Structures are given as C-alpha cells and as structure tokens.
Amino acid sequence: MSEATAGRAPALPTTRPLATVPVEEAAARQFRLLECTAAHFEGTELFAADAGVVPGLGRPRTTARVEAVLADYFGAEDAALVQGAGTGAIRAALAGAVGPGDPLLIHRAPVYRTTQVTLRGLGVHTHEVDLNDPDALRAALGSGRFRWAYVQHTRQRLGDSYDPGEVLAACRAAGVRTIVDDNYAVMRVPRAGVELGADASCFSLFKLHGPEGVGAVVGSRDLVGHVRADNYSGGGQVQGHQALDALRALTHVPVMWALQSQVGAEVAERLRAGEVPGVAEVRIANAQDRCLLVRLDRPVARDLPAVASRFGAAPYPVGSNSRYEIAPLFYRMSSSSLDDAPDLADWTVRINPMRAGADLVLDILRRSLRELSKD
C-alpha cells in the first residue's frame, strides 16, 4: 500500500462492527429453529399451504403457524408477517405505536431513506439524540416527553459505537418503549432487538432469502395486535405459500451468515497484509449489511463496480443478501453512509462476499484494479 498516495484521500473513520455468531453456534441456532418449527407444524403441513382470510384467524392458517414459530424462536409474545418487506414491517409497527404529532426519539444520524418516507407519512415529531452519548440519551429519556423510541440496530454513521442492548435497557428503565429496525442484523448478531428487550423487532424476510415483499414484526402482544388489526384486508395478507417459503429459507440462514462473516474477516486481514495492490485502507463495518469498506489509493471507486461485474461480481444489490445474491457484491457505500461522509464516494467501495470465498473476492478486486490502472 502506498502511504503517499493514500494520504490524498480522506481516511476511513474507525468502525465498531457489531458482534457476529460463530459457525458452531449458528448451527445450534439453526437446529433450534427446526425445534420451534416441529412444535407448531405437523410433518404434512410443511408440504401444503392455504390462502385467504380464515374466519377466526383473519389470515391463512399456514401464515399463523409460521408467525408462531418466529415468536417462539425469538422468545417474543407474538409475531405478524406483513407485505412490504422490511420497510413494510417498520411502517406497520410505527403506525401501531405513534400517530400524527406524537414525539418519537431517534438517533442523530442520517435516517435510512425509506424510513424517512414512513416518518413523514405518519406525521410524527422526531427528536434526535446521539445514541453514542449515554448522558445525552439519559437526559432525553428523563425529560418525560417520549413514550416511544426508534432504534436502528446496524450503524447509521460509520463512526457509531453505541451498544444497542445498552440503549434499549436505558429506554426500558425510563419507561420508554422501543421499536428496532433489525434489518441486516437479525440472525447475524447474537441477539435481535426483541431479544434485547425491545417491544418489537422489524425486519425483511426477503433479506433472509425469503420471497419478495415479506416482512416480519416480532414483539409484544399489544403492538403486534395493532399491526394485525390494521392489516385486515385479504389483499394485505401474507399468503400461506409465501410464509412457508420464508420459513424454509430461514432454516439455512444462520450458518450461511456465520460463514459470510468469517469470509469477510479473512478478506479484511489479507487486504491489510497488502495482498492486493491499490488498496489503501480497509474496515469491516455494519454499513447497512455487514461489509468491507475498501478505500483505494486512487479515486476510481465509482468506476470499480462496473469493471468488477465483468469478472463475476454483482454490481448492485437486489435485497442485500436476498436469494438472488450469490456473487460477491462490489458497490458504492450506502446512501445513508454517504450522507454522513460524502467525501468518501470517489475513494471507497463496499464489498460483501455473499456466498463466495475469500480467494474469489480478492481475485475480482485485483483484476478490477489492474484493469482500471490501464485507463
């Protein structure tokens, strides 16, 4: 790595990635998911699915069983499957908690853009506090203004350092209820928001290899009940075949995520050792999904994804770890990260190994940078 050329670019901030789950523990979690499944499904029911607004349930029987599996697995009182993937889940949970003019405590950071739309549509009054500052959080919670807080489990700013569990515990101690955006975190980190004491975890099952458009709200009985009551129409239901498809996909996600985290750590270590010329700096980060932020020694980051795609990389995401994404992703930094650090756009590329091993990821990066050096 050339320190002289690297010095021309803004340095990457120190990142504090969230903890991951080792492969052995991930396998145990996978087995527990099947134990929960066996508790709510008879064997033949896993081969058939119903549809429609079943009297007394208001949703398909298969959907209700999958919801029971999720509630059991996460140790929650209830769960509801919704349309609209992660965004739909967040919108449904927030709509069940707050309304126009209500105050909502959020992190002082760029808000994920689809969440901005939800907050604007609900008409809530957001109040920002830096969750990295425990004293500021305690002061805000002690004001008595808030009934609800909204917490994003993964990082909104590259330099975020707050412990989600500590934030949720502080909220709970102050009598403030919490909704957690667990997208990109659930089944990858040791405990999801609801397992850390949140009133609800919201996440996309599409990001967990499930079918397009399916999301989940897992949490307290009263909040999930609001979600279910609001989603009363037949057209809004997650049909049984969608729910069953999502459950089948979940059964291999824990181990797959653990392997992906392991590969990412290996790629970072080898890049830091100077294995690929043209790399100035690398960080592991939870910038949305867990990924590698690779700062180059030349400002070619905007051009690199298109070149990498010629060598087998995915040049853009579909759902960020959806069933479509098997090739390693070479892409720009997330929009919320760039809102916070726009000067990195020309220098830094985001890499996610997806299903690939470290050798392929490094080979694609090496060949791409070599190709760009010809220009």
Side-chain angles (χ1 to χ4, degrees), residues 239-251:
Q239 300 303 330
H241 72 277
Q242 295 174 290
L244 199 53
D245 192 6
L247 178 61
R248 292 187 187 116
L250 280 179
T251 60

Side-chain angles (χ1 to χ4, degrees), residues 90-311:
I90 293 167
R91 183 175 297 129
L94 284 172
V98 292
D102 287 345
L104 180 68
L105 190 66
I106 65 171
H107 182 33
R108 181 172 294 142
V111 178
Y112 194 55
R113 292 183 182 180
T114 54
T115 305
Q116 276 185 330
V117 174
T118 293
L119 295 173
R120 186 172 68 242
L122 291 173
V124 297
H125 289 168
T126 56
H127 176 83
E128 295 184 348
V129 63
D130 187 356
L131 297 185
N132 301 302
D133 183 343
D135 292 335
L137 175 60
R138 281 192 292 270
L141 292 171
S143 69
R145 292 179 55 195
F146 306 102
R147 292 178 53 246
W148 288 92
Y150 173 79
V151 179
Q152 183 173 305
H153 201 140
T154 61
R155 305 312 193 187
Q156 290 172 252
R157 298 190 317 219
L158 295 181
D160 279 342
S161 59
Y162 63 85
D163 182 321
E166 292 178 2
V167 170
L168 296 175
C171 291
R172 192 165 58 252
V176 175
R177 303 184 70 181
T178 49
I179 292 172
V180 174
D181 174 359
D182 263 312
N183 287 297
Y184 309 106
V186 67
M187 289 194 162
R188 185 187 293 279
V189 300
R191 289 190 290 173
V194 69
E195 295 172 293
L196 292 169
D199 288 272
S201 283
C202 306
F203 53 90
S204 166
L205 288 166
F206 181 49
K207 294 184 187 302
L208 301 173
H209 272 221
E212 298 89 338
V214 177
V217 180
V218 182
S220 65
R221 186 169 288 107
D222 64 332
L223 182 56
V224 174
H226 275 296
V227 171
R228 193 167 285 131
D230 288 346
N231 187 34
Y232 59 86
S233 74
Q237 301 304 316
V238 171
Q239 300 303 330
H241 72 277
Q242 295 174 290
L244 199 53
D245 192 6
L247 178 61
R248 292 187 187 116
L250 280 179
T251 60
H252 65 265
V253 164
V255 171
M256 183 170 61
W257 272 199
L259 286 171
Q260 186 185 98
S261 297
Q262 184 176 290
V263 169
E266 180 185 345
V267 171
E269 182 178 354
R270 290 168 66 177
L271 287 175
R272 291 184 186 121
E275 191 166 323
V276 178
V279 171
E281 193 178 13
V282 62
R283 294 273 193 272
I284 297 175
N286 291 95
Q288 294 183 349
D289 203 4
R290 187 180 179 87
C291 62
L292 299 166
L293 298 181
V294 179
R295 182 168 64 84
L296 309 174
D297 64 9
R298 292 181 298 133
V300 295
R302 295 179 192 270
D303 300 321
L304 192 141
V307 176
S309 71
R310 303 209 300 263
F311 301 116

Side-chain angles (χ1 to χ4, degrees), residues 310-343:
R310 303 209 300 263
F311 301 116
Y316 52 81
V318 179
S320 290
N321 266 303
S322 74
R323 61 179 56 181
Y324 296 99
E325 291 157 304
I326 58 173
L329 174 70
F330 282 60
Y331 193 46
R332 61 168 173 78
M333 291 170 56
S334 68
S335 297
S336 54
S337 295
L338 287 175
D339 286 344
D340 189 53
D343 52 347

